[in-house]
Amino acid sequence: MEHSSEDRSLLRAALAGEPDAQARVIRRAADTVWACCRRLTGDDTSARARFEIVLGAIQAENFACLWAFDGRTRLDTFLALVVRDLLGRDVLRGVARDTAKGWPAFEALFGDDLRRLVQRRLPGPAWTETRQDAYQEICAGLLAANCRRLNAYQGHGSPAGFVLHLSDRLLVDFIRSFRARRRLPAVVARLEPQDQKLFRLVWWRGMTADAAGMVLEQQGEAVSRAELSAALARLHRAVPANYQPETRQMALDAAPEIPSAAHSPEAAMLANEESLALTKAAEAIRELAPGLAVAERLYLRLLLTGTDDLSPREIARLMQQPVEEVYRLRQRVLQKLKDHLADHPAIKSWLESV
Amino acid sequence: MTENPISRDPAIAALLSDGLEGGKARDGISPAQLAVYLDGGLDRFRHEQIADRLAASHGDFLNAVAAMDYLATLPAEIAPYDLVEAIIARLPSATPRGQSFPPVETFALLAAASETGSKAVLCRSQSGIWTLEVFVAPDDADKGYVLLSVHPDHRATYEGRCARVFVTLGNEERVLAEEPVRDCEVYADISLAGLDLHNRDALSVTFGPVLP
């Protein structure tokens, strides 16, 4: 951050209205702003138009949006995030004005973020097809009713935070709905209940055999290593090699006209029970959270959102902790979580219900 | 490595994360605060404040992860020279008086200001329409609270504007709090560690633009 002090003086002079300093600020900021605009638009012609809009916003009220720079960060980092914020607001305004014209810019700005969000929530090869469905479902939810959800943005706080939070709620709804409707393949439904449980843990929840064995043990159904191997062998024989969890999703307003077993009163009751168990489990986390240190809470947030696409270095930057400390933190948080999950009746009931 | 018992099921992990949501709504983390956080420019106290917000607000958390990715993948580009120079050529040659930022209020908050009779109040100072008070936490002498309040007659001028409370140490500014004015007040936790508000370090406040 060797230039931060110099940059701070420059920005202050610009804020004080000195024309030379303002010109230097524009030259200093131009490459970063251009990179942001070029990334958004993908072509030079559109980027030039966007560049003028963004620099116009930066110059507004005598460069007021640069007031917050105080030299504790690199100017390029600061500018990139300020411009990202300005672009986010502009893109959301564009969607509100004209959805058809505004949507491509929306996807250009937020599409990668949404895909990474989906990747984090649905990691691994087992969910490959589901991830595509999930992305489409998020987009459909955002576009529904003339972008009602997106148009609820009032301009407070980060536009990216608003969009991603909203999208995550849609994603969670999607995941919950297909999960509730998922049914065992007929061949597996004919196996013993313990084999069915193992199937759910390994095929649906993506667990390793050892981890599945641990969960069965936690649920009071411990199996020996030999029994586990035998059960897995039975399952591998029964389950088709190309098996994919049944996850095709239907929009809520396109509900099936023909009642199916998945929508029977029994299924609804089970879904309600599970929903209640999850609510109680979330309450258990809420009870646990205040007793955790700030870094532990933040790491728990990270765990619950998913870390599949984040490298150790990225996690360390997000946590602002050394990589080795993040590793220790992980051990600590998981241990506390296990201790808490094992003791809490709501969690026990939730574990039994899945 | 310890097996994560919950992350395997996406629906459960997603629902459990609701348990971490903070109760009271707060202003989100601004791009400037996020930039300082991600560049490691915060002192320990301010770092914990931002980390706490990230842990308590899913929107802020997702924004921070996405911002980190944005910074990492932003390509190096050079802006077209003609475009930049054309914009500079359109700059006004001088800024009209009274329109420049930032309007600055400086509070000289030293020991003389603290004749309050209350041990909890470290110092109190009034500067025009503003009153600034610093309190010491009852259980931790290094921790305090700052309360900045504006006369209600001037509410319209200051409401929503970001106040930065800082001390100048040598060439550096140590920022104690950065919060928008809400209901004529700014109230924030601050770290008093290493400060000598009685004899050396005067608190300054500047006001930025209205935060969206």
Side-chain angles (χ1 to χ4, degrees):
Chain A
M1 276 178 241
E2 57 197 44
H3 300 301
S4 288
S5 176
E6 198 180 305
D7 287 333
R8 189 180 65 183
S9 304
L10 174 63
L11 259 60
R12 290 204 172 165
L15 287 160
E18 293 177 23
D20 286 350
Q22 293 182 343
R24 284 174 58 207
V25 164
I26 290 175
R27 287 195 186 95
R28 176 78 178 78
D31 290 349
T32 303
V33 176
W34 177 255
C36 295
C37 295
R38 190 71 182 67
R39 177 189 157 123
L40 173 67
T41 59
D43 71 88
D44 280 4
T45 308
S46 309
R48 288 175 77 94
R50 192 68 75 161
F51 183 81
E52 295 225 30
I53 293 169
V54 171
L55 270 178
I58 288 176
Q59 292 174 65
E61 294 184 55
N62 254 322
F63 294 78
C65 73
L66 303 183
W67 171 86
F69 181 78
D70 60 9
R72 287 179 294 164
T73 178
R74 286 169 295 188
L75 183 58
D76 291 333
T77 308
F78 170 80
L79 284 170
L81 294 188
V82 166
V83 171
R84 173 176 171 265
D85 204 70
L86 289 170
L87 288 173
R89 289 168 195 278
D90 196 45
V91 161
L92 286 178
R93 277 194 295 269
V95 169
R97 270 196 309 271
D98 184 336
T99 304
K101 282 186 183 168
W103 185 255
F106 177 90
E107 273 207 283
L109 187 63
F110 295 116
D112 286 348
D113 294 336
L114 297 181
R115 284 187 195 90
R116 289 194 76 177
L117 183 63
V118 172
Q119 174 73 39
R120 236 172 278 136
R121 287 282 190 212
L122 295 165
W127 303 109
T128 305
E129 283 185 21
T130 314
R131 282 196 290 273
Q132 291 166 8
D133 292 344
Y135 181 80
Q136 295 304 324
E137 191 67 16
I138 291 172
C139 292
L142 295 176
L143 283 162
N146 208 16
C147 299
R148 174 180 58 83
R149 291 183 175 93
L150 288 176
N151 292 342
Y153 181 62
Q154 299 287 312
H156 301 298
S158 152
F162 172 81
V163 167
L164 290 172
H165 197 182
L166 188 58
S167 302
D168 197 41
R169 302 314 302 181
L170 291 166
L171 177 58
V172 170
D173 286 347
F174 167 77
I175 292 170
R176 288 188 77 186
S177 62
F178 79 64
R179 189 173 174 279
R181 282 184 225 159
R182 202 156 50 185
R183 288 292 169 268
L184 287 172
V187 283
V188 178
R190 286 195 287 271
L191 297 176
E192 292 297 314
Q194 195 168 56
D195 286 3
Q196 294 177 17
K197 277 193 178 175
L198 193 59
F199 172 83
R200 290 188 183 97
L201 295 173
V202 175
W203 269 262
W204 287 0
R205 294 174 64 177
M207 286 188 173
T208 61
D210 286 346
M214 282 169 55
V215 170
L216 288 175
E217 191 179 337
Q218 281 175 353
Q219 295 180 354
E221 297 178 35
V223 288
S224 68
R225 184 163 285 275
E227 287 170 327
L228 192 63
S229 297
L232 276 173
R234 279 193 298 278
L235 285 168
H236 278 296
R237 278 196 299 276
V239 180
N242 61 350
Y243 171 78
Q244 285 274 330
E246 190 184 322
T247 57
R248 295 299 301 179
Q249 172 62 11
M250 223 171 285
L252 290 177
D253 54 3
E257 291 174 9
I258 304 168
S260 72
H263 296 87
S264 66
E266 291 78 10
M269 190 182 75
L270 284 173
N272 282 342
E273 279 179 10
E274 184 176 282
S275 174
L276 185 65
L278 279 172
T279 305
K280 286 185 176 175
E283 281 169 14
I285 295 286
R286 193 170 285 120
E287 286 168 17
L288 171 72
L292 299 177
V294 171
E296 292 174 341
R297 273 205 307 281
L298 181 53
Y299 194 80
L300 181 54
R301 165 77 69 193
L302 191 65
L303 274 184
L304 292 171
T305 309
T307 57
D308 194 63
D309 65 330
L310 295 171
S311 68
R313 190 186 289 263
E314 285 176 306
I315 293 175
R317 189 180 187 196
L318 184 67
M319 301 288 303
Q320 287 295 302
Q321 305 272 356
V323 173
E324 56 274 22
E325 176 55 27
V326 172
Y327 181 80
R328 283 193 286 271
L329 198 56
R330 175 185 169 83
Q331 303 300 315
R332 246 185 359 253
V333 170
L334 288 180
Q335 194 55 53
K336 286 186 181 181
L337 208 53
K338 276 188 168 178
D339 293 346
H340 197 77
L341 290 175
D343 291 344
H344 202 286
I347 301 287
K348 270 188 184 169
S349 120
W350 155 64
L351 281 171
E352 285 160 8
S353 76
V354 293
Chain B
M1 183 170 280
T2 312
E3 178 74 25
N4 177 0
I6 53 171
S7 68
R8 295 293 179 179
D9 191 309
I12 290 170
L15 268 290
L16 288 183
S17 63
D18 281 352
L20 284 173
E21 281 302 296
K24 59 178 181 180
R26 288 190 284 198
D27 290 291
I29 299 170
S30 69
Q33 289 172 322
L34 190 55
V36 181
Y37 176 81
L38 291 176
D39 268 354
L42 294 173
D43 61 37
R44 192 173 147 272
F45 187 82
R46 295 280 295 152
H47 162 82
E48 291 235 327
Q49 284 183 327
I50 299 293
D52 188 42
R53 288 189 189 191
L54 291 176
S57 162
H58 197 45
D60 279 332
F61 173 81
L62 293 174
N63 181 43
V65 176
M68 206 169 60
D69 186 47
Y70 188 83
L71 292 171
T73 57
L74 196 62
E77 296 265 3
I78 296 175
Y81 178 80
D82 63 310
L83 188 57
V84 177
E85 292 307 312
I87 289 170
I88 289 171
R90 292 201 296 268
L91 279 173
S93 55
T95 302
R97 284 182 70 84
Q99 286 187 16
S100 62
F101 265 99
V104 179
E105 300 268 359
T106 301
F107 295 81
L109 258 180
L110 297 172
S114 58
E115 298 300 327
T116 63
S118 167
K119 284 182 183 173
V121 181
L122 179 63
C123 40
R124 174 178 292 151
S125 182
Q126 197 147 15
S127 172
I129 59 175
W130 285 97
T131 303
L132 182 66
E133 293 169 283
V134 176
F135 306 87
V136 185
D139 54 345
D140 185 350
D142 281 346
K143 190 179 168 193
Y145 311 93
V146 63
L147 174 63
L148 184 64
S149 31
V150 65
H151 192 282
D153 288 353
H154 297 270
R155 179 185 186 126
T157 309
Y158 288 94
E159 195 67 13
R161 287 173 62 177
C162 187
R164 181 191 294 148
V165 182
F166 63 96
V167 292
T168 304
L169 304 168
N171 262 346
E172 295 295 311
E173 285 178 2
R174 175 170 154 191
V175 179
L176 302 179
E178 270 175 307
E179 298 286 342
V181 179
R182 300 285 182 224
D183 297 327
C184 296
E185 281 184 359
V186 170
Y187 182 76
D189 298 353
I190 59 171
S191 168
L192 298 171
L195 292 182
D196 180 1
L197 295 181
H198 286 279
N199 303 303
R200 188 190 64 198
D201 304 320
L203 285 173
S204 299
V205 181
T206 63
F207 295 96
V210 173
L211 284 183

